Amino acid sequence: MDHFTLIDGELHCEAVPLARIAAEVGTPVYVYSAATLRRHARAFRDGLKPAGRVHVAYAIKANPNIAVLNVLAREGYGADVVSGGELARALAAGMAAQDVVFSGVGKTRAELTKGLEAGIGQFNIELEEEGVVLAQLAAATGRTARAVLRVNPDVDAGTHAKISTGKRENKFGVPIDEAAAIFARLAGLDGLDLRGVAIHIGSQLLDLAPLETAYTRIGALVAELRAAGHTITHVDLGGGLGVNYKAGDVPPDLADFGAMVARVTKDWDVTLMFEPGRVIAGNAGVLMTEVIWVKPGVTNPYVIVDAAMNDLARPALYDAWHDFAAVRPNGARMTANIAGPVCETGDTFARDREIDAVRSGDLAIFRTAGAYGATMASTYNSRPLVPEVLVDGDRYAVVADRIAAETILAAERVPDWL
């Protein structure tokens, strides 16, 4: 459920008409619902109640806006970060350092140091050398780095190849058949408190079976590590639960997810850690756009909108689906292609799709754009950087400004020798 609904024939975000935001902020613009963020955050936690000791760290990469993070911090969420910049955002939004998990396959020495200085709760180690370096950095400053070893369980998540992370050929984690030996070598290092293991097999998962397979494999590894004399207190099960982008998408029920987790992990006696992102933020946001032209096509017309692939990259990157809806639908339907103004054929959001009938000047939204939307935006074609708005009840605020092309140009320099 989200809070983007028709009221008197016009789409609202909670109690705010989207047309009002378009008139006052302009388009394209991302609009987020605070009520939806809160609802999803609570539903995820409630679903995991049967699982016992749980720590939830929101995956900041899904939507790093500090207002969004502040809403989730107030719901008791920690942060899963994958860069020094995301760490800074988490702390600026009020998330406690001890509730931060630092993931990512390419953490630099400078980023590891930032995490140590901040006193974060956990590092997810991706390779043996990283663990050695982290231990050295910590020991040199009299600190101890709390960490887990990320394991690649060689499980196909059944999702898009570009967001699959748990197969043997993917770049993440250490092979599960080498994990025990690597763990043993790292566990004895000064400066390192290696307290468990981690997995994450992919994103936009609509089936619990791959997750259960991966969890079962990691459970066997936990038993093996304990048999070897290691103390295991934490297991990070990652994130990846999907959302409904289109009709026919049936994401896992959170109660079913929690029941599965509780069943598989009942004998582990650990703190379970989770890193949800899309499932929290995806349906909490839309990208609002204005129709520039309805251009005749060979078969179907092109609805040319002022949003583009630089504002919402997922369709160009993954052929991803985002439902398209008129802000003031009149009941009529049309079949059309939807495209943006960027000079690439890839700047196409949909082909031959039945949509609300629209014409030049109409407002429309791309739904389920709260995750991996604004965070992936760019200024390609020297377009402004898209702004973001947060709605809470009957009020809204601009939480990220539109950055004009002129502002970006002013930051560039021509060398004096040209």
Side-chain angles (χ1 to χ4, degrees):
M1 175 186 172
D2 61 45
H3 289 77
F4 295 90
T5 54
L6 284 170
I7 301 175
D8 296 329
E10 181 175 344
L11 272 174
H12 286 56
C13 177
E14 302 186 28
V16 177
L18 288 177
R20 175 186 161 199
I21 296 174
E24 295 173 2
V25 180
T27 58
V29 57
Y30 279 95
V31 182
Y32 308 129
S33 161
T36 306
L37 290 166
R38 294 186 187 107
R39 179 185 181 279
H40 291 174
R42 294 167 189 175
F44 190 85
R45 273 195 178 282
D46 289 346
L48 286 170
K49 282 180 179 177
R53 300 195 306 275
V54 166
H55 177 272
V56 184
Y58 168 69
I60 285 185
K61 61 182 177 289
N63 186 325
N65 185 280
I66 60 170
V68 169
L69 301 185
N70 185 268
V71 171
L72 296 175
R74 291 169 183 266
E75 291 297 319
Y77 272 51
D80 169 52
V81 307
V82 295
S83 72
E86 287 191 350
L87 172 59
R89 282 180 173 272
L91 299 177
M95 291 169 162
Q98 64 265 26
D99 291 332
V100 172
V101 175
F102 204 147
S103 302
V105 71
K107 298 184 285 292
T108 66
R109 286 161 176 79
E111 287 174 324
L112 293 173
T113 299
K114 283 183 179 180
L116 287 168
E117 291 174 347
I120 68 166
Q122 179 173 292
F123 293 88
N124 286 5
I125 296 171
E126 290 269 358
L127 70 160
E128 185 170 359
E129 185 180 3
E130 180 189 10
V132 171
V133 170
L134 177 60
Q136 292 171 344
L137 292 170
T141 56
R143 297 183 173 94
T144 299
R146 294 178 295 274
V148 299
L149 179 65
R150 180 169 177 178
V151 176
N152 187 319
D154 194 23
V155 172
D156 187 348
T159 188
H160 193 287
K162 290 186 178 180
I163 51 176
S164 179
T165 60
K167 294 192 289 185
R168 179 177 292 272
E169 62 267 26
N170 296 141
K171 69 180 180 178
F172 300 96
V174 302
I176 193 166
D177 54 356
E178 299 176 23
I182 294 172
F183 193 102
R185 291 193 291 270
L186 291 176
L189 297 179
D190 290 339
L192 198 63
D193 174 15
L194 194 58
R195 62 186 191 175
V197 289
I199 55 170
H200 177 77
I201 65 170
S203 188
Q204 184 52 15
L205 305 182
L206 299 179
D207 184 0
L208 291 178
L211 286 171
E212 183 165 354
T213 298
Y215 296 171
T216 301
R217 291 183 184 179
I218 211 72
L221 176 61
V222 168
E224 179 183 355
L225 292 170
R226 282 177 169 159
H230 300 294
T231 299
I232 305 297
T233 60
H234 291 71
V235 176
D236 190 332
L237 296 178
L241 290 183
V243 299
N244 53 321
Y245 281 100
K246 63 180 184 297
D249 285 347
V250 183
D253 180 84
L254 291 175
D256 292 342
F257 174 62
M260 180 273 286
V261 170
R263 182 180 70 254
V264 174
T265 67
K266 60 183 173 63
D267 298 323
W268 291 10
D269 188 24
V270 297
T271 296
L272 297 171
M273 308 184 72
F274 296 89
E275 294 149 8
R278 189 191 314 264
V279 71
I280 304 296
N283 284 308
V286 302
L287 174 61
M288 183 163 47
T289 186
E290 182 177 330
V291 177
I292 305 174
W293 310 109
V294 178
K295 179 182 178 182
V298 173
T299 305
N300 293 310
Y302 276 87
V303 173
I304 308 297
V305 297
D306 65 358
M309 62 185 288
N310 69 292
D311 304 307
L312 178 61
R314 295 187 70 255
L317 284 177
Y318 313 127
D319 294 322
W321 180 291
H322 288 269
D323 278 341
F324 182 82
V327 168
R328 292 172 173 148
N330 59 18
R333 304 285 283 175
M334 65 189 293
T335 299
N337 309 304
I338 308 168
V342 161
C343 286
E344 294 213 16
T345 301
D347 185 23
T348 302
F349 295 104
R351 294 184 182 278
D352 304 324
R353 187 183 296 182
E354 184 182 341
I355 60 172
D356 290 330
V358 292
R359 60 185 180 181
S360 179
D362 285 353
L363 296 171
I365 61 168
F366 293 102
R367 291 189 179 271
T368 321
Y372 305 103
T375 185
M376 298 174 75
S378 74
T379 58
Y380 185 46
N381 275 198
S382 292
R383 288 169 51 83
L385 195 62
V386 64
E388 300 165 80
V389 163
L390 180 70
V391 175
D392 197 353
D394 61 358
R395 57 187 175 179
Y396 82 85
V398 176
V399 294
D401 292 336
R402 190 184 309 278
I403 301 179
E406 293 78 10
T407 301
I408 298 165
L409 178 62
E412 300 178 19
R413 301 287 184 272
V414 177
D416 57 11
W417 41 264
L418 284 179

